[in-house]
Structures are given as structure tokens and as C-alpha cells.
Amino acid sequence: GSVSDSRCRMSDCTRSVAVAVRAITGTSGNNSRKWESLPDVPVMALTATATERVQSDILQRLSLTDPTIFIASFNRPNLTYRVTPKQKPLDQIIKFLGKRQQEAGIIYCASRKGTEKLAESLQARGLSARPYHAGLASEERAANQEAFLRDEVKTICATIAFGMGINKPNVRYVIHHDLPKNLESYYQETGRAGRDGLPSDCLLLFSAGDAAKQTHFIEEISDPNEQQNARLQLNQVIHYAESTNCRRVDLLSYFGESWTEIPCGACDNCLSPPETYDGTIPAQKFLSCVFRIKRQSGYGVGINHIVEVLTGAQTEKIRQRGHETLSTYGIGKDLHRKEWQAIGRELLRLGLLCQTPDKFSVLELTREGFEILKTRDTITLTKPVEILTPRTAHKQGEIECDEVLFAVLRQVRKELADERSVPAYIIFGDTTLRQMARYYPTTDVEFSNLSGVGEKKRKEFGERFIREVTDYLETNPRVSFSD
């Protein structure tokens, strides 16, 4: 069967499924009638990530009637999620990479120029990094990818063109230098870390400036429906970045999955809960300003205009609308514009304000916001998040081992991989090497008991790795580990 042309106008996720189905059944989009004329042909549609809306889209567009649906959990327990305020991002990345220089990772940037600039800056500081984007010559792009797969280059600075089909299990970190367009993309991109099941880190550098840039790009979209959808998706990313909730709860709920094991132990908000304070007075000022502008003008305004009124700005728009006469004009001069913007966004997350989805979105009080404005109940707000340092506590999936021996075995793996012109993980994954560095196998039987060691690999590589472990133990004591 095949998918008709009309069915091909779908989301990227659904489109990839349709292509997979056509490939399996050996048909193309031009043979649209075969899809209906072969009703008894078994069809399996597969995709890595799909929201409930995309799942429904797949069923509809592929005309799957009463299918059996299997949905695995979206949770990746070995990934730790962090969001950090973006301040001097190059310095933040260098600090993050300080203890990870021997580990492989991906840094996603929004632009091609950004990938090249960041890679050059890291190289200038002695770090192993190369760029990857669709604008590079195919030879250079392929060489950079191959060097990364072989562990010759530790860090790839890439646009989202990098990642699809990259089967490198030992990616230990994924950094988002810029804001992703939506949570689905963010989940997929962070999902390229830790595919071997070992602990890996996902860091998002967030700034309101990046959000403003994306808003500008969204305003250039001509189709109103696409523009509205893009704005909704961006707001979801912003809410995730600024949320004080468990990151895992927010991510999984986006895909329709509930998570109740809180704290999750593997996100910044659970590991170091952000400090809160009694924000009743500033929140009341903000809510009151929204209310009074709507009452005086008969229409709402955007968050930036609210902030300008609160801080007593003397702009043409304020004078034209007579907003300098409001009782809330200038009552927020004690706080910086950015602080007021953060308060406004948190009131949105708390459900006390809502934002219209129109091109020129405006703020409005919700029923809850109106009630709390009248009752003056306490409103708890979050203090700005400080830059977090990598934690040292035990991570889920972590394999404690002799780190010195692990480094030795990793070098042996690289030599074997180079001799065979294959990526290092083809020899053994990090999980297997860490088990070697934990259990010190010195016999064939002990070596065979390690995960990832089959009969073929035992015969081909067992002698070499056993010899390395044996030689190491002649000059180094065994390290004991708790079970």
C-alpha cells in the first residue's frame, strides 16, 4: 500500500512514519490506489516520539483501522535535565566541559554561523571541537561526523541538521546553546545522550533574549495557523525553562505521560529546589496594572507594555493611550525591567494570567487572577536561579569503576577501532568498559560474564583486554565498590 499525496501534507513526525511504511511495502506516493486495494497487507508504523495529537494524526492519515498500539514510556532515567540562565554562554560551556574533556557531547546552536564561532572559540582554548551544519562542504561535514563517531573529536557544535541517524551510544552530554523551537525537538535532541544507559547530562542555556528572537521569526510566518502554532510551542518551551516543577514531570506530561516519583533525583529543580519568597506585593502590582489598563482602554496589552507602565517609562505609546495617568504608573521602579518580565511570566505559569494566541498577544486576568487580586492572598514567587555546578551524588544507571583503568581501556578500544576503521562503540560500549574496570576480569569466563560480550567479541578482543587488566593489576591495587 501507499500513502496518497494528500496524506503526505503532515507533520514531520508523521511524514517519517509514512515514508517508513512506503519503504516497507515497496511503494511510492504516486501509487495512491494500492494503499486501498491491498487491505490485508500487514502494516507496522513506527516513530520515536509522538504527542497524542501526532499519534492520532498517524492513525488517520495512514488509515489504520483498529490497530494494536504499543507506547513505551518516554522517561529516560539516566538523563539529568538542567536549565541555567544564559550569562556569558562561552564561559558557562567551558566551565561545564571542565571535567568532561574526555567525554563526547553535542552542543546545539540555532545558526550555522553560531556553530562555527563556538567551535573555533572552544578550539582556541584547547578543547576538542568541530562544527557541523548543512552549509559545510559535504567532505568536511562527513569528516567531522566521522571524527566524532571515532572519539577523535569530543564535541560537535551543530545545528539540528546533526543527530538524525547518529547512532553513538556514549554521548555523555547535550547542551542547548540556544532555545529549541518546541519541546518535541528538545526531547529528541536531548535523547541523543546516554543511549548506552549510562548517566548523561542535558543542559539548556535560557535567556529571554533568545525567546524574543524566536518571537521575531514567528511574526514573519505568513500562514496564520502556523504562526499561532509556533507561538504556542515557543510559550511551552519558555514555561518549561522557567518552571519550578520537576523537569521530568513537565517533559513527560507534554507527551501525555504522568510522572509521580517526585523528586525525580535527576533534574535541577529536584536536586536543588529554587528558593521562593513572598511575592504578594509585586504580583499584586502586576495584576493590578493589567486590570487597570483593560478597564481604562477597553483592551489588553502585551507584557512589555505592562512592564513599561510599572517602571514609569516615558514612551510614545504610553502617552498616546494616557497610561501615565494610571495609579500603577511608575509603582515598580524599584525593580529592573527583566525582573518584572520574569514576574509576569511566572504569573502566567501560575495561571493567574493568560496570554491570547493572536499575532499581537495580550495579557488578561484569569478568573483565579481576578479572585486573588480581590482577596490579596499570599503569592509565592521564585527567586532567580543561580548557575548550577555538576552534582557529585549517585546518578541512576551509574556504574562505579576504577576510573584510571577505565581510561586505559578506552585508549585500547580506540586503537582497536582505528585498526578496523570503525567507531569505538563497535568494539565495546562504555557500559562494558566500565564493567571491566569494576570487576577486573582476568579469565575468559570472567570476561564472558560482562554485558555486551558475546562469543564473537570474546574471541576477537578478549585476550587483549584481559591482558590489559592483568598488566594493570600488577602495579595498581583493586578498588572496592559497594553493591
Side-chain angles (χ1 to χ4, degrees):
S2 68
V3 183
S4 68
D5 292 339
S6 64
R7 291 180 186 154
C8 290
R9 290 192 293 272
M10 55 186 83
S11 67
D12 290 340
C13 210
T14 312
R15 186 180 299 112
S16 65
V17 173
V19 170
V21 171
R22 291 200 298 270
I24 293 169
T25 55
T27 62
S28 66
N30 294 327
N31 297 323
S32 59
R33 298 307 303 168
K34 289 184 179 179
W35 184 258
E36 290 81 7
S37 62
L38 298 172
D40 297 325
V41 173
V43 173
M44 177 182 288
L46 308 171
T47 187
T49 43
T51 61
E52 291 179 339
R53 181 187 62 81
V54 173
Q55 293 169 27
S56 176
D57 199 28
I58 291 171
L59 298 180
Q60 176 188 350
R61 295 186 180 275
L62 299 185
S63 297
L64 302 179
T65 56
D66 193 26
T68 300
I69 301 174
F70 299 93
I71 302 175
S73 172
F74 288 90
N75 183 40
R76 295 286 304 281
N78 62 314
L79 299 188
T80 297
Y81 300 98
R82 292 186 174 87
V83 180
T84 293
K86 193 174 184 179
Q87 304 163 349
K88 297 183 179 180
L90 177 59
D91 292 344
Q92 289 175 288
I93 289 172
I94 291 172
K95 183 178 180 180
F96 182 87
L97 298 182
K99 296 181 179 179
R100 298 175 172 86
Q101 293 188 34
Q102 297 306 312
E103 297 179 342
I106 303 170
I107 304 176
Y108 282 107
C109 302
S111 67
R112 297 176 180 181
K113 184 177 180 181
T115 67
E116 295 183 5
K117 183 178 179 181
L118 180 57
E120 288 172 1
S121 297
L122 295 178
Q123 290 168 6
R125 288 159 178 78
L127 296 169
S128 174
R130 288 188 191 175
Y132 185 103
H133 60 74
L136 292 175
S138 57
E139 296 82 4
E140 182 180 2
R141 193 168 63 245
N144 290 354
Q145 175 177 312
E146 188 66 16
F148 180 67
L149 290 175
R150 292 176 181 276
D151 284 337
E152 294 169 1
V153 168
K154 297 302 181 183
T155 303
I156 281 286
C157 303
T159 60
I160 58 173
F162 183 81
M164 296 300 290
I166 301 300
N167 185 25
K168 183 175 174 63
N170 65 332
V171 173
R172 294 274 75 87
Y173 59 87
V174 170
I175 300 174
H176 278 80
H177 180 280
D178 303 300
L179 205 61
K181 293 182 178 179
N182 54 61
L183 282 180
E184 194 164 344
S185 297
Y186 175 71
Y187 177 84
Q188 290 175 347
E189 288 152 17
T190 57
R192 285 155 196 157
R195 291 184 176 179
D196 55 7
L198 295 181
S200 303
D201 291 292
C202 306
L203 174 66
L204 168 61
L205 301 181
F206 171 73
S207 78
D210 285 348
K213 287 179 186 176
Q214 289 219 18
T215 299
H216 174 72
F217 295 141
I218 289 172
E219 289 173 353
E220 295 178 350
I221 298 174
S222 57
D223 185 284
N225 291 330
E226 287 187 19
Q227 187 182 82
Q228 182 174 328
N229 188 49
R231 187 174 289 109
L232 173 63
Q233 291 179 334
L234 176 59
N235 286 336
Q236 289 171 333
V237 174
I238 294 172
H239 287 177
Y240 167 81
E242 295 186 322
S243 174
T244 59
N245 296 334
C246 168
R247 306 283 183 199
R248 192 162 258 95
V249 167
D250 287 351
L251 268 183
L252 297 183
S253 65
Y254 175 77
F255 291 100
E257 182 178 346
S258 61
W259 183 261
T260 57
E261 298 177 26
I262 302 172
C264 73
C267 81
D268 52 356
N269 287 340
C270 288
L271 292 167
S272 303
E275 293 184 52
T276 58
Y277 68 100
D278 184 348
T280 305
I281 292 177
Q284 284 283 341
K285 288 179 179 180
F286 201 103
L287 295 172
S288 179
C289 193
V290 173
F291 173 76
R292 293 179 186 282
I293 286 177
K294 180 68 178 289
R295 186 174 65 176
Q296 175 179 305
S297 304
Y299 54 82
V301 296
I303 188 170
N304 288 331
H305 189 79
I306 297 291
V307 171
E308 287 172 348
V309 172
L310 286 168
T311 54
Q314 298 179 13
T315 67
E316 184 64 27
K317 285 185 178 179
I318 286 178
R319 288 191 294 270
Q320 286 178 349
R321 299 171 179 178
H323 291 167
E324 76 280 6
T325 64
L326 292 169
S327 60
T328 52
Y329 179 75
I331 64 172
K333 290 182 178 180
D334 55 323
L335 297 180
H336 190 274
R337 282 176 54 89
K338 289 184 178 179
E339 293 176 283
W340 279 118
Q341 288 169 341
I343 289 170
R345 290 193 297 268
E346 185 158 12
L347 294 175
L348 279 167
R349 291 198 309 277
L350 293 173
L352 304 180
L353 291 173
C354 62
Q355 197 167 22
T356 63
D358 309 318
K359 179 177 180 180
F360 301 105
S361 59
V362 301
L363 297 181
E364 295 180 349
L365 286 176
T366 62
R367 184 175 62 182
E368 293 79 5
F370 186 75
E371 285 299 317
I372 209 165
L373 187 60
K374 291 192 301 181
T375 61
R376 297 186 177 274
D377 289 343
T378 299
I379 301 174
T380 301
L381 298 179
T382 308
K383 288 185 177 180
V385 180
E386 299 294 330
I387 296 175
L388 299 174
T389 54
R391 67 189 182 96
T392 57
H394 177 73
K395 302 177 183 180
Q396 184 159 349
E398 187 172 35
I399 299 176
E400 290 184 282
C401 71
D402 186 330
E403 295 293 341
V404 176
L405 176 56
F406 176 61
V408 171
L409 298 176
R410 200 157 53 174
Q411 181 58 37
V412 172
R413 178 180 65 178
K414 186 178 184 308
E415 292 172 3
L416 292 170
D418 289 345
E419 290 171 6
R420 290 159 177 76
S421 297
V422 297
Y425 67 82
I426 297 296
I427 306 301
F428 284 120
D430 280 6
T431 300
T432 306
L433 290 194
R434 284 192 166 276
Q435 287 188 358
M436 289 185 206
R438 179 184 176 93
Y439 299 113
Y440 303 98
T442 56
T443 67
D444 269 357
V445 173
E446 291 174 342
F447 192 79
S448 298
N449 288 334
L450 303 175
S451 67
V453 177
E455 183 63 18
K456 184 175 184 297
K457 288 195 174 183
R458 183 193 66 78
K459 290 181 179 179
E460 189 170 3
F461 306 121
E463 183 180 351
R464 175 70 184 276
F465 281 98
I466 289 172
R467 185 170 71 249
E468 290 293 338
V469 172
T470 303
D471 291 346
Y472 178 83
L473 289 175
E474 289 181 0
T475 55
N476 297 275
R478 289 175 178 257
V479 180
S480 299
F481 304 99
S482 57
D483 293 331

